[in-house]
Amino acid sequence: MAKLHVSTTINGEPQEFLCDAEQSMLDVLRGPLGLTGAKEGCGTGDCGACTITLNGRIVCSCLMLAAEAEGQEIGTIEGMAGEELHPLQQKFLESAALQCGICTPGVLMAAKALLEKNPDPTEHEVRFWLAGNLCRCTGYDKIIRAVMDTAADMRAAR
Amino acid sequence: MKPFTYERAGSPAEAAAAAARRPEAKFIAGGTNLLDLMKLQIETPAHLIDVNGLKLDTIEPTQEGGLRIGALVRNTDLAADERVRRDYGVLSRALLAGASGQLRNRATTAGNLLQRTRCPYFYDTNMACNKRRPGSGCSAIGGINRQHAVVGASEACIATHPSDMAVAMRVLDASIETVKPQGATRTISIAELHRLPGDTPNVETVLEAGELITAVTLPRPVGGSQQYRKVRDRASYAFALVSVAAIVQPDGSGRVALGGVAHKPWRLDAADAEMPRGAKAVAGKLFADAKPTEHNAFKLPLAERALASVLADARG
């Protein structure tokens, strides 16, 4: 079958690619585009390890067809750090808020989206927001604390 | 996934025409359930019509004082809409009780209504399932059926409808606007949209092949205390064992629909009429014809207690 041609924007840069209809956005990111930060955990939208942003909102890239990226803006974990790590990334390192790291890119994408919307979340709000990101190592406490601490740091820095 | 062809539609008329050309096609919008099922080869459409570009993504007031919700309004936007939060609180609460942020950002109003059951025997392609493979039998009957229907089920299927949103839509008397492949439009009440399983559990709604939902309309607000209570095995991100959508008026009258107990959101006029007499009376009517299984009889008292708790909250 003929390949589909897709023009999109990834982390602010125009990007074109060819794909098969049945390829997910995650397949194309991790394969031809070489952006392997997003992970395939379950492939069914349960675990959130493949979280990216679509027009600024977090979605599961395993449940999005690559063809659906046409004309849209995609953000991935590779676009999170600038010259320096994003404060969330730095805090996750400092507070060991990860173990095996498979869920971490998705957690960071979701947490960043939360803090952009709500710079002063309660613990309950952080837990609600991150409900779509499963972590089988940490038991979540360090993740939740790292997000709360980052939020406090970012508020103090403003 | 089985290979398929893909096209984008730019308007409801284009989508309808595409569906008329390719009767084996499915529409894709949020994809949060369809792609999942395609990966498991439970759904194997030969063609997908992408309807994300149809611009049916606004929420507009109706002349009757209600709201017309475009089919493509995402669950996140519907839950956050000020008018929905103010006048249809049960809908906002139901939406936020479902799925995760990632999925609500993508899932659409129409797609949410058309979700397939999460019955594990439907999902396991090695098991008999009349919904997945008509005539193959039902492994859930006599299986581990703790999550399954207690009322309205049949000898062919005891699956439940998984949606939270649909339960709120049912208690709000929503109606569904559609366009058929040849271009005709019609309006279907939410009560009529979903079917009971009967002998054909594979036919889940009254929609015809290629018929596309374009909007969901809510009648003018009815006020009252609007509650959604979802009981599940863990505190978030799980499907309901039982859920209660209720609207309670100051005089004690009201309406109630249950999720997690049947093949469709479960609401009965006779049960609504019992609202002033309390949860036991209402549950008695809702479950008058209940036939629970070995593993799910707990849902009857659980639903009654959840309703009692909702009524207590509504009284303040």
Side-chain angles (χ1 to χ4, degrees):
Chain A
M1 244 169 268
K3 296 265 185 188
L4 300 166
H5 176 263
V6 176
S7 300
T8 185
T9 304
I10 299 183
N11 298 328
E13 300 286 332
Q15 176 79 55
E16 296 182 39
F17 58 82
L18 295 173
C19 67
D20 295 320
E22 58 269 25
Q23 280 185 295
S24 70
M25 192 65 227
L26 180 64
D27 292 336
V28 169
L29 287 172
R30 291 186 54 84
L33 300 183
L35 297 171
T36 56
K39 301 291 186 275
E40 179 156 39
C42 64
T44 56
D46 293 309
C47 78
C50 66
T51 299
I52 61 169
T53 57
L54 172 64
N55 302 325
R57 291 173 161 206
I58 53 169
V59 301
C60 293
S61 60
C62 75
L63 289 185
M64 173 183 169
L65 294 175
E68 293 179 277
E70 174 69 30
Q72 315 294 319
E73 297 206 3
I74 303 292
T76 72
I77 187 70
E78 286 84 356
M80 191 162 175
E83 292 288 304
E84 295 181 350
L85 290 179
H86 185 279
L88 276 164
Q89 293 173 305
Q90 191 60 45
K91 185 67 75 182
F92 270 54
L93 278 176
E94 288 166 7
S95 42
L98 65 154
Q99 288 181 33
C100 86
I102 290 283
C103 73
T104 311
V107 172
L108 287 168
M109 291 300 285
K112 176 165 174 273
L114 167 64
L115 297 190
E116 285 168 358
K117 203 176 155 68
N118 179 359
D120 191 8
T122 63
E123 179 179 333
H124 187 80
E125 286 167 338
V126 174
R127 287 184 182 273
F128 179 78
W129 188 274
L130 295 180
N133 294 86
L134 303 186
C135 171
R136 303 290 81 177
C137 302
T138 65
Y140 300 104
D141 275 346
K142 285 185 172 182
I143 292 175
I144 306 298
R145 210 169 310 143
V147 175
M148 304 278 298
D149 289 351
T150 308
D153 289 354
M154 289 174 76
R155 289 195 305 277
R158 268 187 309 182
Chain B
M1 253 191 264
K2 292 243 167 127
F4 56 88
T5 51
Y6 169 90
E7 73 179 294
R8 295 184 191 101
S11 68
E14 255 182 64
R21 257 192 326 271
R22 299 289 299 270
E24 75 286 19
K26 283 213 169 260
F27 298 115
I28 182 164
T32 51
N33 192 204
L34 179 59
L35 290 177
D36 177 20
L37 293 169
M38 286 170 66
K39 289 182 181 196
L40 296 165
Q41 301 198 8
I42 295 167
E43 297 270 15
T44 53
H47 187 65
L48 284 187
I49 303 165
D50 184 343
V51 294
N52 282 296
L54 261 48
K55 302 180 185 69
L56 302 172
D57 53 4
T58 58
I59 305 174
E60 309 284 351
T62 65
Q63 285 184 347
E64 293 74 32
L67 282 183
R68 187 171 183 275
I69 302 157
L72 291 164
V73 172
R74 309 286 160 172
N75 288 179
T76 296
D77 296 313
L78 186 55
D81 185 272
E82 259 180 54
R83 295 158 294 184
V84 172
R85 288 164 53 104
R86 185 186 62 222
D87 296 330
Y88 306 97
V90 63
L91 177 57
S92 191
R93 292 189 177 99
L95 283 159
L96 293 175
S100 65
Q102 282 91 331
L103 297 178
R104 289 190 298 271
N105 280 342
R106 196 86 181 111
T108 63
T109 305
N112 190 316
L113 290 173
L114 300 180
Q115 283 183 80
R116 309 295 306 273
T117 185
R118 275 12 181 237
C119 171
Y121 299 101
F122 171 73
Y123 262 75
D124 183 344
T125 51
N126 294 311
M127 306 299 276
C129 172
N130 288 319
K131 194 182 272 299
R132 178 165 32 74
R133 199 149 41 90
S136 63
C138 173
S139 299
I141 296 174
I144 307 297
N145 46 34
R146 174 173 177 275
Q147 298 170 30
H148 291 73
V150 292
V151 67
S154 72
E155 296 295 312
C157 179
I158 56 169
T160 56
H161 196 273
S163 171
D164 293 296
M165 186 197 81
V167 185
M169 291 292 194
R170 180 69 182 91
V171 91
L172 289 167
D173 284 328
S175 44
I176 319 300
E177 295 175 27
T178 71
V179 57
K180 294 188 193 184
Q182 305 307 328
T185 59
R186 66 165 167 162
T187 301
I188 305 165
S189 78
I190 181 80
E192 301 297 320
L193 177 71
H194 297 105
R195 297 174 71 259
L196 289 177
D199 295 334
T200 53
N202 53 311
V203 185
E204 292 171 349
T205 68
V206 298
L207 296 180
E208 296 169 15
E211 186 170 4
L212 178 73
I213 296 177
T214 52
V216 177
T217 301
L218 297 174
R220 56 181 303 123
V222 294
S225 168
Q226 304 201 1
Q227 312 273 340
Y228 190 76
R229 185 70 48 85
K230 179 174 181 179
V231 185
R232 42 188 159 175
D233 284 329
R234 55 173 187 247
S236 75
Y237 204 13
F239 290 94
L241 291 168
V242 159
S243 70
V244 176
I247 301 178
V248 187
Q249 300 297 345
D251 66 0
S253 68
R255 4 165 139 174
V256 61
L258 299 183
V261 300
H263 202 252
K264 60 191 285 186
W266 195 247
R267 181 177 168 201
L268 297 175
D269 290 343
D272 285 358
E274 296 292 330
M275 283 289 270
R277 280 170 286 285
K280 192 175 178 62
V282 175
K285 294 290 184 192
L286 285 167
F287 293 135
D289 297 320
K291 290 196 186 96
T293 67
E294 179 189 352
H295 300 293
N296 70 10
F298 73 94
K299 287 191 176 188
L300 275 58
L302 183 62
E304 184 185 319
R305 287 178 201 145
L307 178 59
S309 164
V310 161
L311 295 178
D313 281 0
R315 280 195 300 269

